[in-house]
Amino acid sequence: MKIGLIGNPNVGKSTIFNALTGMHQHTGNWPGKTVAKATGYLNYQGIKYEIEDLPGTYSLMAHSKEEEVTRDFVYQGNYDKLIIVCDATCLERNLNLVMQVIEVTNKVIICVNLLDEAKKKGIEIDFPKLKSILKVPVIPVTARNKQGLNELIEALNTTSQETYNFKYDDFLENAVAMVLPLIKNNQINTKAITLKLISNDKTFINNFNYKDEQLLNKVHDAQKHLYEKGIYLEDIDTYITEQIMDKCMKITNQTVTYTKTNYTKRDKMIDKFLTGKITGFISMICLLMIIFWITIKGANYPSDFLYNLFFSFEDNIISFLNFIHTPDIIINCLVFGVYRVLAWVVSVMLPPMAIFFPLFTLLEDLGYLPRIAFNLDKAFKKCASCGKQALTMAMGFGCNAVGVIGARIIDSPRERLMAMLTNCFVPCNGRFPILISIITMFIIIGGSNSSFISAVLLTIVILFGIIMTFVISKILSKTLLKGLPSAFTLELPAYRKPQITKVIIRSIFDKTIFVLKRAILISAPAGLVIWLLTNININDISLLKRCTDFLDPLGHLIGLDGVILMAFILGFPANEIVIPIMIMGYMSLGYITDFSDLSALKNLLVDNGWTLLTAICMLVFTLIHWPCLTTVFTIKKETGSTKWALLSIIIPALTGMILCFIITQIYYLIV
Amino acid sequence: MKLNDLKIDDKAVITKVNADKNIKRRLLDMGVVKGTTIQKVLVSSGDNMVGYFIKGAVVAIRKDDTKDIEAEMIK
């Protein structure tokens, strides 16, 4: 059986999808989390179900590519059942989509989710009555507790005998009657198709190829009929929606009872604080600082532990390799090149990621992210963009490539491009540890408050990155991406208590696997490459030294040096290998010696000419340089254009270099 | 009266929605049509976005986009 999962954004479709198929679509409490189709499978009582999780939409009048995906899926009719997921706490608005869909087909199950939230708010729904009005099964569900899911699956095997017949007003019904006889379709109701044609839905007409001249003439006549009654072509959608919404209101009044009069009071008070003129910004910065502080402080112990674990295991590996008579040079390469880079990356990268991500996910599930978009919209508007860029920026904190894909939630192509190009100005998880290490080594003098001060400084660095996002966005809006800001509405979801233990465990598990996978796929080969570069000599000088010498002049111009630049260049596949490469470059031994504490690392750097200037420029350049390979590749895929992919490399690279250059000049002027 | 003239916590019924095509679609999605009850609940810094409680959810809309919407206040 083929099943489609549709519904408003942020009603829990992906949660239901995960529960039914056992997959792990990313969920979060903000509209726009799912931007691509996903397919999963379920076996229940001998029947196999193929389930498609579709992007959320508020109505079948699509005005973005993602909404078209959902609309076209519904109108194509190639499914056995559609599950429309609704939010029990705002049923009236959800009914808009429901009404539009049951007009297309009666192969529908209505799934009313978030029942636990509704109960907390004293909202009661008369499900049998709703079913008798809409003529399709209505199943109450609380997806996150897995309640009601069995009933949902069983309902998939029922067949609805009746169809809901929506009667519009006479003008519209007459217009429909003019075109209806010409439409033939076995899968779905022809009246629904007629309405789409009459309302001049261009993408619908294109995607479904309605080109017959006779038909289009009749449609024209119908539109003229409406025009004579005072309804212009571009207003037909509104005309239809007004009538649907009136019906939704009536149905809601008949089926929903509110037993608590002021159930939104708590959320309103929290929001007044989190979105207040001053309190809003202060709370954003404080939250950021707290998350960083917990990450930095919490990561220390696991890092040390993993580090020691890997290095103590090293001797075992060497003994084993000797035992099977491995040539010395291979041992050298495998252990000192590949293994040590792997060990370094895992022990330094994994703990911060495993802490930051769960914290961030908790914030996401709480529903806080759209409030950030709300607070920052004015600033984005000044850059001819919109607040949703704040959401993609937030996603970029985890991984820039994910942030780029997330830009699909932005409707306007111009603003979407802007979000994609500036996404790398916020550091992804791979760059955080670099920033934290540099700050700890060079800026802190030590002492018991060092994690707190590190957190404050890291926040300042990140804020700088965010400010640069605005600056570059503004510049882009005046040059390459000229245009006017597009219309933009944003739903602020109700705060939901996250399932804390579940999120933490799932997040830590996911991140660990992710880091280990990347370490094996990227860091290990990188270790090999560095080892080769250091051990292959041309005229007695290693390849590596030749490269770093070549890059030295440019490096010094921008407050860095050749080794650092080389590390960033070779770190193109993944930022987490930048520091290991840097260390190996300085040691020119082709391997990392034991660096159990940062002060030994600091000595190595200082011995190689590092000053405060180098540290500052390193921070800035880590923040602002070319995006990683995965991100560039993703940009190419999302935009379909090599030109923009190249620009996505050039713009941050130039910006970073210019900034470092300026900082270098100022430093030499002052010092 | 104009929707933008509402004060925080005021409730009103929408009487007229005038807006350009792009904004109108988004407003439609959120339920901003003639006959809907709406309540102003939040204002962002710089007076840029306004949060309204419509049909059970809080929706933020830019003030510029609602300047031609008219509503009648309910006590």
Side-chain angles (χ1 to χ4, degrees):
Chain A
M1 275 192 103
K2 193 157 179 222
I3 314 286
L5 208 52
I6 64 177
N8 280 184
N10 201 27
V11 293
K13 289 186 297 309
S14 293
T15 312
I16 293 180
F17 180 78
N18 289 346
L20 293 178
T21 61
M23 285 177 64
H24 298 298
Q25 289 294 89
H26 197 169
T27 60
N29 186 11
W30 51 279
K33 200 87 215 26
T34 306
V35 284
K37 270 198 303 194
T39 316
Y41 299 90
L42 164 71
N43 267 315
Y44 187 83
Q45 296 183 347
I47 308 179
K48 187 170 183 198
Y49 301 89
E50 180 189 296
I51 305 180
E52 290 238 31
D53 184 14
L54 293 156
T57 183
Y58 292 104
S59 92
L60 293 181
M61 298 171 184
H63 49 67
S64 79
K65 278 258 150 8
E66 284 67 51
E67 292 179 353
E68 279 176 43
V69 168
T70 305
R71 176 201 67 195
D72 291 351
F73 186 88
V74 172
Y75 274 86
Q76 243 142 26
N78 299 339
Y79 39 79
D80 295 291
K81 274 278 191 276
L82 286 175
I83 301 178
I84 312 179
V85 184
C86 299
D87 181 346
T89 63
C90 60
L91 196 60
E92 190 179 336
R93 200 205 43 223
N94 282 244
L95 282 177
N96 180 24
L97 180 63
V98 171
M99 305 299 296
Q100 291 183 26
V101 177
I102 59 179
E103 197 167 46
V104 175
T105 171
N106 71 346
K107 294 190 280 190
V108 168
I109 310 283
I110 298 177
C111 171
V112 180
N113 192 20
L114 295 163
L115 224 52
D116 54 344
E117 292 289 317
K119 233 175 242 159
K120 277 187 215 159
K121 298 186 167 157
I123 300 175
E124 283 169 12
I125 304 178
D126 186 351
F127 292 103
K129 187 138 195 211
L130 198 54
K131 175 175 178 175
S132 74
I133 296 175
L134 297 173
K135 316 241 188 293
V136 288
V138 180
I139 314 286
V141 150
T142 301
R144 61 189 230 163
N145 299 337
K146 306 234 163 107
Q147 286 171 340
L149 292 178
N150 289 335
E151 288 84 342
L152 180 63
I153 305 172
E154 274 153 30
L156 291 173
N157 291 307
T158 62
T159 322
S160 304
Q161 303 298 352
E162 302 169 78
T163 313
Y164 183 87
N165 196 357
F166 191 105
K167 220 150 177 290
Y168 294 93
D169 68 20
D170 290 338
F171 303 140
L172 199 47
E173 290 291 345
N174 287 338
V176 168
M178 290 165 83
V179 181
L180 193 59
L182 287 168
I183 313 276
K184 300 273 174 272
N185 193 303
N186 294 328
Q187 309 255 46
I188 61 175
N189 292 332
T190 49
K191 184 172 180 183
I193 302 179
T194 313
L195 285 166
K196 274 281 175 234
L197 295 174
I198 296 180
S199 62
N200 203 31
D201 188 333
K202 294 205 174 82
T203 57
F204 179 84
I205 295 172
N206 257 340
N207 293 359
F208 285 92
N209 222 359
Y210 283 100
K211 293 213 168 76
D212 180 60
E213 235 193 271
Q214 193 195 17
L215 173 64
L216 291 181
N217 282 337
K218 271 291 173 191
V219 170
H220 223 65
D221 290 342
Q223 290 164 343
K224 226 166 66 174
H225 169 77
L226 289 171
Y227 182 79
E228 282 157 15
K229 301 292 180 192
I231 303 157
Y232 299 130
L233 192 61
E234 59 267 16
D235 289 333
I236 299 181
D237 268 346
T238 313
Y239 187 58
I240 297 175
T241 310
E242 279 172 8
Q243 295 179 46
I244 297 180
M245 292 213 169
D246 186 61
K247 196 75 203 194
C248 294
M249 190 166 68
K250 296 201 168 86
I251 296 179
T252 312
N253 288 340
Q254 291 176 290
T255 53
V256 181
T257 350
Y258 300 95
T259 59
K260 282 191 195 164
T261 40
N262 231 344
Y263 67 90
T264 56
K265 190 159 172 200
R266 183 198 69 171
D267 276 13
K268 277 188 196 165
M269 286 198 330
I270 300 178
D271 267 337
K272 283 215 164 78
F273 179 76
L274 289 177
T275 61
K277 298 198 191 313
I278 302 179
T279 53
F281 283 94
I282 297 183
S283 49
M284 279 196 292
I285 297 180
C286 283
L287 265 166
L288 207 60
M289 255 200 285
I290 295 175
I291 293 184
F292 288 151
W293 182 67
I294 300 179
T295 306
I296 294 175
K297 195 149 175 101
N300 283 332
Y301 304 113
S303 264
D304 288 342
F305 170 74
L306 282 171
Y307 208 79
N308 294 329
L309 188 71
F310 275 106
F311 275 89
S312 66
F313 203 59
E314 199 179 275
D315 289 334
N316 299 20
I317 297 185
I318 298 181
S319 320
F320 172 73
L321 288 175
N322 273 324
F323 180 71
I324 60 173
H325 300 304
T326 321
D328 267 349
I329 191 158
I330 304 275
I331 295 184
N332 205 312
C333 166
L334 280 181
V335 176
F336 298 132
V338 177
Y339 180 75
R340 280 212 176 155
V341 174
L342 204 86
W344 203 96
V345 169
V346 174
S347 33
V348 174
M349 297 288 149
L350 181 58
M353 279 203 214
I355 299 178
F356 180 83
F357 243 76
L359 289 176
F360 190 74
T361 310
L362 285 176
L363 214 55
E364 239 191 325
D365 284 357
L366 196 62
Y368 178 64
L369 294 188
R371 272 83 187 171
I372 301 181
F374 185 78
N375 289 338
L376 294 179
D377 182 59
K378 176 146 198 183
F380 278 111
K381 197 167 157 205
K382 285 221 179 99
C383 314
S385 180
C386 78
K388 281 191 182 161
Q389 200 171 332
L391 292 169
T392 62
M393 203 167 69
M395 285 194 278
F397 272 110
C399 171
N400 286 158
V402 172
V404 167
I405 296 184
R408 289 186 198 179
I409 62 178
I410 300 177
D411 299 331
S412 145
R414 185 187 65 89
E415 292 172 9
R416 187 181 298 193
L417 208 46
M418 206 183 293
M420 289 197 270
L421 291 175
T422 55
N423 201 264
C424 64
F425 285 87
V426 287
C428 64
N429 268 187
R431 292 189 264 158
F432 266 108
I434 304 178
L435 296 171
I436 297 175
S437 318
I438 305 288
I439 291 176
T440 317
M441 281 191 287
F442 280 89
I443 324 281
I444 315 287
I445 322 295
S448 56
N449 272 325
S450 63
S451 353
F452 177 71
I453 303 181
S454 294
V456 172
L457 288 172
L458 186 58
T459 310
I460 294 178
V461 173
I462 304 301
L463 286 178
F464 179 70
I466 295 177
I467 293 174
M468 284 313 297
T469 307
F470 284 117
V471 169
I472 300 297
S473 294
K474 181 107 201 226
I475 296 178
L476 283 174
S477 75
K478 295 260 185 266
T479 54
L480 294 169
L481 293 174
K482 272 194 265 230
L484 294 165
S486 66
F488 157 62
T489 60
L490 178 71
E491 194 182 333
L492 298 178
Y495 288 108
R496 297 178 197 161
K497 180 160 156 267
Q499 299 172 297
I500 299 182
T501 4
K502 201 166 164 201
V503 166
I504 294 184
I505 297 179
R506 165 108 254 139
S507 228
I508 295 184
F509 183 71
D510 280 345
K511 274 300 130 188
T512 309
I513 306 239
F514 177 75
V515 170
L516 290 176
K517 228 174 26 171
R518 255 171 93 89
I520 297 176
L521 286 176
I522 300 178
S523 308
L528 177 60
V529 167
I530 299 301
W531 188 89
L532 286 172
L533 282 177
T534 331
N535 286 291
I536 297 178
N537 294 335
I538 298 183
N539 286 347
D540 275 345
I541 304 182
S542 77
L543 269 181
L544 187 69
K545 189 111 194 358
R546 285 188 177 274
C547 293
T548 56
D549 283 346
F550 175 73
L551 290 168
D552 244 355
L554 175 59
H556 281 119
L557 196 62
I558 58 177
L560 302 170
D561 67 27
V563 173
I564 301 176
L565 277 184
M566 188 77 214
F568 274 111
I569 293 175
L570 287 176
F572 181 55
N575 281 291
E576 49 255 47
I577 57 180
V578 167
I579 292 199
I581 296 179
M582 208 174 69
I583 297 176
M584 293 204 281
Y586 283 131
M587 306 217 57
S588 48
L589 293 171
Y591 61 84
I592 311 178
T593 59
D594 188 3
F595 278 117
S596 47
D597 65 75
L598 282 176
S599 58
L601 178 55
K602 180 176 179 176
N603 287 336
L604 172 68
L605 296 175
V606 170
D607 284 347
N608 277 281
W610 273 56
T611 62
L612 182 61
L613 171 68
T614 326
I616 296 177
C617 290
M618 179 80 184
L619 284 176
V620 173
F621 203 68
T622 305
L623 196 60
I624 305 176
H625 69 285
W626 47 85
C628 69
L629 177 61
T630 319
T631 306
V632 176
F633 192 69
T634 312
I635 292 180
K636 165 101 205 298
K637 224 166 62 145
E638 291 287 300
T639 60
S641 143
T642 317
K643 163 183 152 195
W644 289 113
L646 282 175
L647 276 170
S648 77
I649 299 178
I650 298 174
I651 295 175
L654 273 178
T655 312
M657 288 199 229
I658 294 175
L659 277 172
C660 287
F661 178 72
I662 296 176
I663 296 175
T664 314
Q665 302 313 308
I666 298 180
Y667 186 86
Y668 283 135
L669 268 169
I670 303 179
V671 173
Chain B
M1 64 184 285
K2 295 272 180 204
L3 188 68
N4 283 351
D5 293 335
L6 284 178
K7 298 207 180 40
I8 293 217
D9 290 334
D10 279 350
K11 270 199 193 140
V13 176
I14 298 178
T15 52
K16 205 174 193 182
V17 179
N18 285 329
D20 83 43
K21 200 174 71 170
N22 281 323
I23 303 164
K24 210 159 193 190
R25 303 222 102 152
R26 282 158 188 67
L27 294 177
L28 270 185
D29 278 351
M30 293 301 173
V32 179
V33 284
K34 195 165 71 183
T36 306
T37 311
I38 190 173
Q39 185 185 27
K40 180 169 182 170
V41 288
L42 294 171
V43 180
S44 79
S45 73
D47 219 21
N48 179 51
M49 287 204 102
V50 179
Y52 295 101
F53 189 74
I54 311 174
K55 296 189 191 293
V58 176
V59 179
I61 312 176
R62 281 183 177 154
K63 208 163 187 190
D64 284 350
D65 295 339
T66 55
K67 63 183 190 291
D68 290 320
I69 300 182
E70 290 171 26
E72 215 173 273
M73 210 158 86
I74 323 173
K75 287 290 167 229

